[in-house]
Amino acid sequence: NGGDGCVIARVLKQRGVDAKVFSIGDIKRASADTKENITSFQAVGGQICSLEQQSLENVVADFKIEQVGLIIDAIFGTGFRGE
C-alpha cells in the first residue's frame, strides 16, 4: 500500500537514491500508518507529489521516464476491495 511505498522510498533516499513519491489520493484521508510513513519520508528530504493538485499531463510532461531506474507500484494494499 501507500505506506509501504513511502517506507521503500525513505530507505532508498537514505541510501542516496533520488526517490520520489507520487500520491493519487488525498493524503489527509490516509491511514495513521501511511501518514506516519509519509512524515518519515519527508523527514529525510523526500517530496510527495500529489496528482490531485496537478494534472497527470503536467506530471508526465515533467517526468523523464528514460532517467528512471525503478518504479514501484504501491497503490493497492491487501485490503483493497474494488470499491
Side-chain angles (χ1 to χ4, degrees):
N1 65 24
D4 294 334
C6 286
V7 170
I8 294 166
R10 177 181 49 82
V11 170
L12 290 171
K13 188 103 176 127
Q14 289 172 321
R15 294 185 177 171
V17 175
D18 182 20
K20 293 179 176 55
V21 170
F22 294 87
S23 170
I24 63 167
D26 183 358
I27 293 172
K28 294 176 190 149
R29 295 180 58 205
S31 70
D33 286 341
T34 297
K35 287 178 184 176
E36 181 179 334
N37 288 315
I38 289 169
T39 300
S40 295
F41 174 61
Q42 291 172 321
V44 298
Q47 181 179 358
I48 307 287
C49 177
S50 173
L51 298 182
E52 286 196 345
Q53 294 177 357
Q54 52 183 312
S55 73
L56 184 56
E57 292 83 14
N58 289 342
V59 171
V60 171
D62 293 340
F63 192 66
K64 307 293 186 232
I65 193 71
E66 65 276 1
Q67 297 174 359
V68 174
L70 176 68
I71 296 175
I72 297 171
D73 175 349
I75 296 174
F76 300 121
T78 59
F80 179 69
R81 301 283 185 264
E83 299 171 5

